[in-house]
Amino acid sequence: MLNRSKSLKLFAVILSVMMIVSLFTMPSVFGAEAPLCGDADGDGEVTVIDVTVIQRHLVGSLTLSDAQLKVADIFGDGVDITDATLIQRWLVGMTAGYPIGEPMEQDNDANDTLVVVFSRTGNTKPLAQYAAAYLDADFFEIEAAVPYTDADIAYYTNCRADREQSDPTARPAIANEVGNMEQYSTIVIAYPIWHGQAPKIICTFLESYDFSGKTIIPFCTSASSPLGTSASNLHSLAPDSTWKDGRRFAAGTSQATIEAWMKEMGY
Ligand SMILES: Cc1cc2nc3c(=O)[nH]c(=O)nc-3n(C[C@H](O)[C@H](O)[C@H](O)COP(=O)(O)O)c2cc1C
């Protein structure tokens, strides 16, 4: 019989060996069966290797697929160190009440519509939210990697926005990304008018993904300008998409008006 101290040492050695082995093991691909909660490497069981896979993802030495991220995200708030810790605790019987090791529900009716918005002063965003609610769509707000300060958008002062809008090559970087763009067949893109056009960050967004075969519905808000050429000038950035006619709305447009427009378009 092993005493307690020897058992612990043996357990520690087994854990270490498994962790070292995992450093040289690439996660497998999920099969057709429902993946298990916590099974980040998709090998059909939850082990210490899954903990290591998550840790490696967190330090950037391993890139996980969307499917792997989903099973690794025990708390449903994005994968972080607490997910790895929770699995570790579950492995030694210290955690109950989480579905670790249980088959996850298959997301068979993944949403096929995405509403994307860039809204610096908050006029466009609620209208985009109305559209998302009506369409039962996923929602994505573009965040500038370098946020626009009030000085940056003080237009007609040669501010950052003024300079970007007059520079055909300007492509302001985006801080966040849509991880599963291939899932969507319809994309609503909402933006404010900046000097008669969409902000250049919308160009960055359109150049960041493959929109082939997707339907794109643009709309904007403005102080007074019409939609003008702001939407048609974006077509060349997603040339293999079906672009619907866009529409301009004033700030404060009601949910009913947005819904009526969606209905008019057959949604
Ligand atoms: C840099 C800049 C340029 C703008 N240019 C125009 C314009 O050409 N025509 C117009 O009607 N409004 C213009 N506006 C006003 C915005 O289009 C309007 O306030 C919009 O609703 C802002 O949307 P947001 O709050 O979602 O950012 C401009 C605003 C900024 C910051």
Side-chain angles (χ1 to χ4, degrees), residues 30 81 85 87 106 145 153 179 204:
F30 290 107
I81 193 63
T85 308
I87 297 173
Q106 297 275 42
I153 58 158
T204 312

Coordinates of all heavy atoms in Angstrom, one line a residue, residues 30 81 85 87 106 145 153 179 204:
F30 N -12.6 17.7 -33.5 CA -13.8 17.1 -32.9 C -14.5 16.2 -34.0 O -14.6 16.5 -35.1 CB -14.8 18.2 -32.5 CG -14.3 18.9 -31.3 CD1 -13.8 20.2 -31.4 CD2 -14.3 18.3 -30.0 CE1 -13.4 20.9 -30.2 CE2 -13.9 19.0 -28.9 CZ -13.4 20.2 -29.0
I81 N -8.0 31.8 -17.4 CA -7.3 30.9 -16.5 C -8.3 30.2 -15.6 O -8.1 29.0 -15.1 CB -6.2 31.6 -15.8 CG1 -5.2 30.6 -15.1 CG2 -6.7 32.6 -14.8 CD1 -4.5 29.6 -16.0
T85 N -8.4 26.3 -14.3 CA -8.4 25.9 -12.9 C -9.6 25.1 -12.5 O -9.5 24.1 -11.7 CB -8.4 27.3 -12.0 OG1 -7.3 28.1 -12.5 CG2 -8.2 27.0 -10.6
I87 N -11.3 23.0 -14.4 CA -11.1 21.7 -14.8 C -10.1 20.9 -13.9 O -10.3 19.8 -13.6 CB -10.6 21.6 -16.3 CG1 -11.7 22.3 -17.2 CG2 -10.3 20.2 -16.8 CD1 -11.2 22.4 -18.7
Q106 N -25.5 20.6 -28.9 CA -25.1 21.0 -30.2 C -25.8 22.2 -30.7 O -27.0 22.3 -30.5 CB -25.4 19.8 -31.2 CG -24.7 18.5 -30.9 CD -23.3 18.5 -31.5 OE1 -22.6 19.5 -31.4 NE2 -22.9 17.4 -32.1
A145 N -8.9 50.1 -32.7 CA -7.7 49.7 -31.9 C -7.2 51.0 -31.2 O -6.7 50.9 -30.1 CB -6.6 49.2 -32.9
I153 N -12.7 63.5 -33.4 CA -13.9 63.6 -34.2 C -14.4 65.0 -34.3 O -15.6 65.2 -34.7 CB -15.0 62.6 -33.8 CG1 -15.4 62.8 -32.3 CG2 -14.5 61.2 -34.0 CD1 -16.8 62.3 -32.0
G179 N -15.2 36.0 -35.0 CA -14.4 34.7 -35.0 C -15.0 33.7 -36.0 O -14.4 32.7 -36.4
T204 N -11.8 49.0 -43.4 CA -11.0 48.0 -42.7 C -11.7 46.7 -42.5 O -11.3 45.6 -42.7 CB -10.4 48.6 -41.4 OG1 -9.9 49.9 -41.6 CG2 -9.3 47.7 -40.8

